[in-house]
Each structure stands twice: as structure tokens, then as C-alpha cells.
């Protein structure tokens, strides 16, 4: 199991390197595909992945990513309102086929998965984005790894005993510190290429620390949904890791945080 998980992780990192370094439409299209798969995994939990309700969610995701590329709608709120009207119409005219929880899941899923993940591409597109985009992964996967190591060594106080008994407060602190230190080291290595001063290096570290803290919310939220619906993994796409949502649960919530903090602080 460990070997499978390790090999899958190496392939995943290699794919991320290739797609993010390439950027542009390659990254946009790959992020759209990942979003579609993640959305399908979530919709499957609510049993709407093969329904008209789910189809509207998939269509909105495609339209949203097309708009990121071609900018045919300057105000994305038009899409949001249109999407809401369509799923409500589906709810009303096919009543009682869909439960209200499924309608809310259809709306939630698009923003939780598709829109949030799109900030990987959007972060890559800003100034110095080819370097800043890696903070998304440093503060999510880096925090997760650091939290695990510190938690195993020093963890005593449970952070969320009912939801995730193995996670500790000590591990959480270690994860945040790990995200900060990894980002500071990373920023120092690429300081010249990014044309930033030492103050900005530590600002980037602070951004990752905030992202790392919030990534735990994403991780636990994804776990809470699985607990509510009594499933172990969202999917089996990535051997040893589960589905897209199992591996990207913390990335989903950190991507927009890194984007906005970087835009306004750097």
C-alpha cells in the first residue's frame, strides 16, 4: 500500500510540474478536466452525477472555464445567476424527483470544486504566477506532511476528536510552521527570478502559513462529508490516494486564498 501510494504521489507531482510549468491553455484545460472529475465524485455522493441536475452543473463548469479563456462575459455573476435559475427550474418542474439537499449540493459542488480549483490557473496567470502558484501546494501538501510528522512525534491534544481522532493541535501547529518554513526556503531559492526583497520573502511565508491553517479546514470539511454519507474515499482514480477530492481537498480551499493574498500583498 505504501509503495503504491508513493509511486502515485511521484506521478502526481510530475504531472503537476509539467502542467503548471507549461501553463496557459494546457493548464486551463487540465484544471477543467480535474474539476469535472472532482465534481462527478461529489455529485456521485449525492446521487445526481447521472441526472439532469448534475448535467446542468457539468455544463456550468464547462461554460465557466470557457469564459476564463475567452472572456465573453465580463461579469461572472451573470453565469452564477443563470446557473441558480436553471437548477431551481429543474427542481420545480421535475418535483418531487429531486430533494432540496440535492439541489443545494448541485449549486455547492460547482463552487466548492470547479470555481475554487480554477484559482490554480488564475494564480499561474498573475505577475510572478509561475512561482507563486507553487505556494498553493506548499501550503496544502507541505502543511499536511509537516502536520503528520509533528503529530506522530509530539501529538497529544486532539484537534477534532470526533471528526478526525488522529489529528492533533501540535500537528496543526507543526503543519503551519512547516508551510511557512518551506515557502521561505523556496522563496529564497527563487528570490532573484521573482525580483522580490527579503520582506516579500517573509510575506510569502506568511501567506503560506495562513493557507496552511485554512487547508486543514478543507481537509476536515471533505472528511466530514464522507463521514455524513459513510464513504471511505470519493473515488479510485489515484491508486493509494482515492479520488480527486481525496487528494485535492486542501488544495481546493487554499487556491483562492493564495491567489487573493498574493494579489493584494505582493
Amino acid at each position: 500500500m505504501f509503495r503504491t501510494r508513493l509511486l502515485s504521489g511521484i506521478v502526481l507531482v510530475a504531472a503537476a510540474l509539467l502542467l503548471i510549468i507549461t501553463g496557459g491553455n494546457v493548464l486551463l484545460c487540465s484544471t477543467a478536466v480535474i474539476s469535472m472529475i472532482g465534481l462527478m465524485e461529489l455529485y456521485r455522493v449525492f446521487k445526481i452525477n447521472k441526472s439532469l441536475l448534475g448535467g446542468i452543473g457539468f455544463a456550468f463548469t464547462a461554460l465557466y472555464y470557457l469564459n476564463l479563456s475567452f472572456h465573453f462575459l465580463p461579469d461572472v455573476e451573470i453565469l452564477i445567476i443563470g446557473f441558480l435559475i436553471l437548477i431551481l427550474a429543474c427542481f420545480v418542474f421535475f418535483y418531487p424527483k429531486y430533494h432540496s439537499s440535492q439541489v443545494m449540493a448541485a449549486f455547492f459542488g460547482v463552487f466548492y470544486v470547479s470555481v475554487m480549483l480554477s484559482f490554480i490557473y488564475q494564480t499561474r496567470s498573475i505577475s510572478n504566477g509561475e512561482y507563486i502558484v507553487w505556494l498553493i501546494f506548499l501550503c496544502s501538501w507541505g502543511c499536511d506532511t509537516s502536520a503528520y510528522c509533528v503529530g506522530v512525534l509530539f501529538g497529544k491534544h486532539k484537534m477534532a476528536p470526533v471528526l478526525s481522532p488522529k489529528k492533533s493541535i501540535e500537528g496543526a501547529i507543526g503543519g503551519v510552521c512547516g508551510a511557512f518554513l518551506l515557502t521561505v526556503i523556496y522563496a529564497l531559492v527563487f528570490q532573484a527570478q521573482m525580483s522580490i526583497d527579503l520582506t516579500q520573502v517573509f510575506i510569502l511565508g506568511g501567506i503560506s502559513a495562513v493557507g496552511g491553517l485554512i487547508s486543514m479546514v478543507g481537509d476536515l470539511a471533505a472528511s466530514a462529508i464522507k463521514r455524513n454519507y459513510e464513504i471511505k474515499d470519493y473515488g479510485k482514480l489515484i491508486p493509494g490516494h482515492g479520488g480527486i477530492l481525496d487528494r485535492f481537498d486542501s488544495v481546493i480551499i487554499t487556491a483562492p486564498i493564495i491567489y487573493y493574498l498574493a494579489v493584494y500583498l505582493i
Side-chain angles (χ1 to χ4, degrees), residues 23-33 65-66 68-69 121:
N25 288 331
V26 171
L27 180 59
L28 178 66
C29 291
S30 60
T31 307
V33 170
Y65 276 93
L66 284 170
L68 280 178
S69 179
Y121 166 76

Side-chain angles (χ1 to χ4, degrees), residues 1-12 236-242 247:
M1 181 65 179
F2 175 76
R3 183 180 178 183
T4 301
R5 186 177 176 86
L6 178 62
L7 290 173
S8 296
I10 292 170
V11 172
L12 195 63
K236 299 179 180 179
L237 182 66
I238 310 170
H241 293 269
R247 184 64 276 178

Side-chain angles (χ1 to χ4, degrees), residues 60-219:
F60 175 84
T61 294
L63 199 59
Y64 173 77
Y65 276 93
L66 284 170
N67 190 58
L68 280 178
S69 179
F70 297 106
H71 306 288
F72 49 83
L73 285 176
D75 192 346
V76 75
E77 288 182 1
I78 297 172
L79 279 178
I80 296 171
I81 294 168
F83 175 49
L84 180 59
I85 291 171
L86 279 175
I87 60 172
L88 288 177
C90 186
F91 180 43
V92 170
F93 292 115
F94 289 91
Y95 188 85
K97 183 176 182 179
Y98 301 110
H99 192 274
S100 56
S101 63
Q102 293 176 307
V103 176
M104 288 184 279
F107 191 75
F108 165 76
V110 167
F111 289 89
Y112 174 61
V113 182
S114 308
V115 174
M116 299 285 269
L117 275 177
S118 75
F119 281 93
I120 295 174
Y121 166 76
Q122 295 187 66
T123 303
R124 176 64 175 80
S125 302
I126 64 176
S127 177
N128 271 334
E130 65 270 31
Y131 298 102
I132 293 175
V133 69
W134 295 105
L135 270 63
I136 295 171
F137 302 96
L138 282 171
C139 75
S140 53
W141 295 347
C143 176
D144 186 47
T145 302
S146 300
Y148 174 79
C149 293
V150 173
V152 168
L153 292 173
F154 306 107
K156 292 182 179 179
H157 302 87
K158 303 301 182 184
M159 183 171 66
V162 177
L163 180 57
S164 187
K166 292 183 179 180
K167 294 187 185 298
S168 66
I169 294 173
E170 292 83 1
I173 295 171
V176 172
C177 292
F180 175 82
L181 289 172
L182 285 170
T183 301
V184 168
I185 293 169
Y186 169 78
L188 286 172
V189 170
F190 293 102
Q191 185 177 1
Q193 290 88 336
M194 296 174 71
S195 300
I196 57 175
D197 57 31
L198 195 59
T199 299
Q200 290 172 308
V201 167
F202 284 97
I203 289 175
L204 287 174
I207 289 173
S208 273
V210 173
L213 183 63
I214 294 173
S215 75
M216 298 177 200
V217 176
D219 183 20

Side-chain angles (χ1 to χ4, degrees), residues 21 214 251:
I21 289 172
I214 294 173
V251 172

